[in-house]
Amino acid sequence: MNYSTDYVFMPFGRYVNQFVRNLPTDYLQWLSSQEWIPEKYPHVWDAVTNELLLRGARSSSNSKQNAKEPKHSFPIPPELRPIAAEIVSRGYRSCSHRAHPDHAGGGHEQFIRLTAAKELLMHIVAEGNR
């Protein structure tokens, strides 16, 4: 589960008050091509880009330059996946103490981004980086 996309609502537009995870891919791609969104709505930008990564879609603005790039740089051998998952989990636990909203210096957005990054990495590890 990717918290960043599961709990972020669209604050504007055609899909106002809809979860980002429920938006159509073509709309997410359009959102990812809008230069003003990261500055005005950083939480929405993070959720949109994470959701596109999870779906394996590319933004229409980047599709030509990324067309020749491989999906991932190298495969994770099956025997290394449990170790990689443990590294991600331990790193997340270590960082979550500092990012947690109840901790001095932490915050809600910071914790959501950390959790989204962990979920994305766990997805990549589970898929073997294919």
Side-chain angles (χ1 to χ4, degrees):
M1 182 164 81
N2 186 325
Y3 293 104
S4 186
T5 59
D6 284 350
Y7 298 109
V8 174
F9 287 95
M10 281 300 298
F12 60 86
R14 172 199 263 171
Y15 297 100
V16 68
N17 296 326
Q18 299 274 332
F19 286 119
V20 168
R21 70 169 186 253
N22 294 335
L23 299 179
T25 301
D26 61 336
Y27 190 70
L28 291 172
Q29 290 173 330
W30 177 81
L31 288 170
S32 73
S33 70
Q34 303 305 301
E35 295 178 9
W36 57 272
I37 293 176
E39 190 173 314
K40 190 166 184 176
Y41 300 102
H43 65 291
V44 173
W45 179 260
D46 289 342
V48 166
T49 55
N50 286 335
E51 184 63 26
L52 283 170
L53 284 171
L54 287 172
R55 293 183 190 186
R58 301 199 185 272
S59 81
S60 56
S61 65
N62 294 332
S63 60
K64 290 179 184 175
Q65 72 185 49
N66 291 332
K68 296 178 183 176
E69 292 180 14
K71 186 174 179 184
H72 299 291
S73 58
F74 60 91
I76 299 173
E79 64 273 10
L80 295 181
R81 291 181 195 167
I83 297 166
E86 184 177 347
I87 291 169
V88 171
S89 294
R90 286 185 184 205
Y92 169 76
R93 274 188 241 117
S94 174
C95 293
S96 68
H97 295 294
R98 292 185 302 253
H100 197 277
D102 293 343
H103 187 273
H108 180 71
E109 288 294 322
Q110 187 179 4
F111 195 74
I112 286 176
R113 288 180 184 155
L114 174 65
T115 304
K118 182 204 77 155
E119 294 297 327
L120 181 62
L121 290 171
M122 291 299 281
H123 174 75
I124 290 170
V125 168
E127 292 292 316
N129 220 12
R130 285 182 255 152

